[in-house]
Amino acid sequence: MSIPGIGPRTRGAGRTAKRTPVRVNPIRRHALRRGVRLKPAQAIVSGFASAILIGTLLLMLPIATVGPAGATFLEALFTATSAVCVTGLTVVDTATAFTPFGHLVILLLIQVGGLGIMFFAAVFGLVLVRKLTLSSRLTTAVETKTVGIEDMRGLLRGILIITVVIEGGVAILLGLRFWLGYGHSLAESAWLGLFHGISAFNNAGFSLFSDSITGFATDPLISLPICLAIILGGLGFPVIMQLRKQIRSPLRWNLNTKLVLTGTAVLLVAGTVYITAIEWNNPATLGPLDAGGKILAGFFQSVQTRTAGFNSIDIGQMNTASLLGMDVLMFIGGGPAGTAGGIKLTTFAVLLFIMITELRGHGAVNIFHKRLSRAVHRQAITVVLLSVGAVMTGTIVLILVTDLSLDVLLFEATSAFGTVGLSTGITAGLPPVGQIVLILLMFIGRLGPLTLGSAIALAERKILYEYPKERPAVG
């Protein structure tokens, strides 16, 4: 007998009928078990914001500053944001305004911000509980631009080894030079070497010298180790890790590695030639130096546009043409999944090859015998348009609240967004609104417009329909 709407009774009444198990996505199962959790992008944004807040509170302590009253909230907030976002812009002199405790806080913020908040959370979780939760794997994968989440232990271990080796090696080289070449005590030399080594590898640009590296402009034993650390940090961890394993097998390098290495070499050479040629006879920058010193200083400043913030010449005295060229280099930035900022070399390369393909009339975009996915096209275009919008909006606001010229304000906004830290010397003199604009640009630039946009998005849903195609006139 059957009841309408219910169907025949199953055999084995009174016992639980066997049902075919339904496969549930492990990520969804984890979310259902643990309740509503932040999306990876939201976790990253909240992590960086929390680190900035903690750093701000620490830098406001009287023990952190030389003055008895401590730093103001805006000074501490600006410095903490600049450190966590590994930028290097400052509104006070880092060398004289902060005590050794304040310098230590800044250094820790640089290290945490350079490697990533979620990276450190995953490391602590691995050390304390000997395992990584699924949420930790997901957020770390998003932050480090990793495709898979399987070998996260190996990824964390590799990043730690690379960081310790490079920062330690550069710190030793610099420490020895400060000790043997400039008469600093052994302890002071070690501290100077460590601070500048960490600041350089994380592309932060903070210095314990009031004039940054200007006093060592012609000293290759100071300039070149700093440049080496900046370049390596700007390549990105995926590139360094692949080079570590396959440096003698370039045919096996993936597309990301090839693009980053090629782009880095081209822009470093182009930047050096451009800056050196324009500033060669400028009496306020490269003019007084000999030929070797000019080339070294020009190369040093070209490296800094990879999103570091050291300077060995007076940026405020550079020609307007030099500043504009450096704007372009700072906006491009370095490699993805590293300590560099900007839109990233890979994004710029994708747009460049899209343009070349369109001009040639080809259908698919091919780079190094690899075809790019259409999704990569859209992502690159989105990143660039959002980034241009952020820089332009910031520059317009700065124009409205100051009476400074467009070239220096555009340079300041681009430096902040690209987390570079180079400045023409106007940062401290900006009104509070202008400094807040730079804080927002540093935060957006460090996280990336896509990550920030994904964190702000209220919901993600897949559209199950398409509209008819139509092609408007373009160009």
Side-chain angles (χ1 to χ4, degrees), residues 107 110-111 167 170-171 193-204:
L107 189 64
I110 290 172
Q111 189 70 86
E167 290 180 350
V170 173
L194 180 64
F195 189 96
H196 290 87
I198 293 177
S199 181
F201 178 69
N202 288 283
N203 282 217

Side-chain angles (χ1 to χ4, degrees), residues 103-421:
H103 294 156
L104 179 60
V105 170
I106 292 173
L107 189 64
L108 292 176
L109 293 176
I110 290 172
Q111 189 70 86
V112 171
L115 293 184
I117 307 300
M118 295 302 108
F119 170 83
F120 276 97
V123 170
F124 286 138
L126 187 60
V127 171
L128 295 177
V129 300
R130 302 288 181 179
K131 67 177 181 179
L132 288 173
T133 63
L134 180 58
S135 61
S136 296
R137 292 172 183 267
L138 290 173
T139 51
T140 306
V142 171
E143 189 175 52
T144 57
K145 304 296 187 297
T146 305
V147 176
I149 61 174
E150 293 81 9
D151 188 24
M152 195 57 65
R153 290 173 179 263
L155 174 67
L156 298 176
R157 188 183 304 110
I159 293 177
L160 279 176
I161 292 174
I162 291 170
T163 301
V164 171
V165 169
I166 296 177
E167 290 180 350
V170 173
I172 291 173
L173 292 176
L174 293 177
L176 288 175
R177 182 57 177 167
F178 287 132
W179 181 38
L180 300 176
Y182 293 93
H184 294 284
S185 66
L186 181 59
E188 185 179 10
S189 298
W191 173 241
L192 289 173
L194 180 64
F195 189 96
H196 290 87
I198 293 177
S199 181
F201 178 69
N202 288 283
N203 282 217
F206 278 88
S207 176
L208 294 182
F209 300 102
S210 297
D211 58 353
S212 190
I213 311 299
T214 304
F216 313 101
T218 58
D219 187 348
L221 297 181
I222 296 292
S223 297
L224 294 182
I226 290 177
C227 288
L228 176 63
I230 292 169
I231 293 171
L232 291 176
L235 291 179
F237 291 110
V239 174
I240 299 176
M241 293 178 75
Q242 182 166 50
L243 291 178
R244 206 174 121 206
K245 297 178 180 178
Q246 301 173 345
I247 191 169
R248 296 184 179 180
S249 306
L251 294 179
R252 300 177 63 183
W253 293 350
N254 59 34
L255 183 58
N256 180 76
T257 297
K258 292 178 181 178
L259 286 176
V260 171
L261 291 178
T262 303
T264 298
V266 170
L267 292 184
L268 282 178
V269 173
T272 301
V273 173
Y274 182 85
I275 294 172
T276 305
I278 294 179
E279 298 296 324
W280 187 270
N281 293 319
N282 186 343
T285 55
L286 299 183
L289 306 179
D290 58 23
K294 291 178 180 180
I295 295 174
L296 178 61
F299 172 72
F300 186 87
Q301 289 309 139
S302 176
V303 172
Q304 304 316 302
T305 61
R306 317 309 306 143
T307 79
F310 297 104
N311 63 282
S312 61
I313 57 178
D314 189 351
I315 303 297
Q317 299 298 321
M318 297 181 74
N319 289 306
T320 302
S322 299
L323 297 180
L324 184 58
M326 292 169 72
D327 286 339
V328 175
L329 295 174
M330 293 190 298
F331 186 76
I332 295 173
T339 58
I343 63 172
K344 303 298 187 294
L345 278 166
T346 46
T347 305
F348 175 76
V350 167
L351 284 181
L352 177 63
F353 279 95
I354 289 176
M355 180 186 68
I356 294 174
T357 301
E358 189 66 24
L359 292 176
R360 290 179 174 178
H362 295 173
V365 179
N366 301 310
I367 307 177
F368 294 120
H369 305 292
K370 298 289 185 180
R371 180 170 58 87
L372 289 183
S373 166
R374 294 285 182 182
V376 176
H377 302 187
R378 296 193 300 269
Q379 188 177 24
I381 293 171
T382 302
V383 168
V384 171
L385 290 180
L386 289 175
S387 301
V388 170
V391 173
M392 290 298 100
T393 301
T395 304
I396 291 171
V397 175
L398 291 176
I399 291 174
L400 294 175
V401 300
T402 67
D403 56 356
L404 299 173
S405 60
L406 173 62
D407 56 343
V408 296
L409 293 178
L410 177 62
F411 187 89
E412 204 80 7
T414 306
S415 179
F417 175 80
T419 68
V420 181

Side-chain angles (χ1 to χ4, degrees), residues 416-434:
F417 175 80
T419 68
V420 181
L422 292 174
S423 175
T424 56
I426 67 172
T427 312
L430 292 175
V433 174

Side-chain angles (χ1 to χ4, degrees), residues 17-70:
K18 293 184 178 180
R19 297 181 180 179
T20 303
V22 179
R23 298 188 66 181
V24 181
N25 184 288
I27 298 176
R28 185 178 179 185
R29 185 191 304 123
H30 177 78
L32 292 173
R33 187 187 312 123
R34 299 294 297 274
V36 179
R37 300 182 66 88
L38 294 176
K39 295 187 297 183
Q42 292 173 333
I44 294 171
V45 172
S46 61
F48 271 87
S50 299
I52 291 172
L53 177 60
I54 294 172
T56 301
L57 296 177
L58 290 175
L59 291 177
M60 289 180 67
L61 296 175
I63 192 177
T65 56
V66 174

